[in-house]
């Protein structure tokens, strides 16, 4: 079974995806700080705590549409077998309900 904290472990270094300020495992979910796409540039980010259910729903939606290059591996072996591109997309989908950046 995939665990949300595995996404935090493979997630996006700031040099790769500068919109993520922090990504940390929190309980069964993930706490993220990310640029607010509707906010003023340089005015800080928004903080969200994503539940395991939100992350799973985002993964299932993206995997169903074949949007994830490692989706099959992640489904079989857990989120930790995915890549940072897929982790970015899953967290964006869970945070915003769509892919906002990149």
């Amino acid at each position: 079974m995939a665990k949300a904290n595995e996404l935090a472990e493979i997630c996006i270094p700031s040099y790769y995806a500068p919109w993520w300020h922090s990504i940390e495992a929190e309980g069964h979910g993930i706490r993220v700080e990310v640029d607010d796409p509707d906010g003023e540039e340089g005015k800080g980010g928004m903080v969200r705590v994503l539940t395991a259910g939100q992350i799973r729903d985002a993964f299932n939606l993206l995997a169903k549409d074949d949007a994830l290059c490692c989706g099959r591996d992640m489904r079989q072996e857990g989120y930790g077998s995915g890549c940072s591109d897929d982790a970015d997309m899953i967290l964006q989908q869970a945070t915003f309900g769509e892919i906002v950046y990149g």
Side-chain angles (χ1 to χ4, degrees):
M1 175 166 219
K3 295 187 174 137
N5 63 354
E6 292 176 350
L7 276 181
E9 292 173 7
I10 64 167
C11 265
I12 316 96
S14 61
Y15 66 85
Y16 170 75
W19 44 86
W20 296 110
H21 300 286
S22 69
I23 301 169
E24 302 170 1
E26 184 170 293
H28 294 290
I30 296 178
R31 181 187 180 279
V32 298
E33 183 177 355
V34 62
D35 283 345
D36 183 348
D38 298 323
E40 291 184 48
E41 189 172 332
K43 295 289 183 183
M46 55 193 273
V47 175
R48 296 282 187 269
V49 176
L50 305 173
T51 67
Q54 289 171 307
I55 294 165
R56 181 185 58 247
D57 291 347
F59 169 79
N60 286 334
L61 177 69
L62 294 168
K64 176 184 70 138
D65 293 339
D66 289 327
L68 304 173
C69 63
C70 303
R72 180 170 292 161
D73 292 339
M74 294 171 93
R75 185 172 305 282
Q76 292 173 353
E77 300 173 29
Y79 297 135
S81 64
C83 65
S84 60
D85 288 334
D86 286 354
D88 177 33
M89 291 177 59
I90 293 166
L91 293 179
Q92 284 191 58
Q93 182 69 39
T95 301
F96 303 116
E98 62 182 332
I99 306 302
V100 175
Y101 298 106

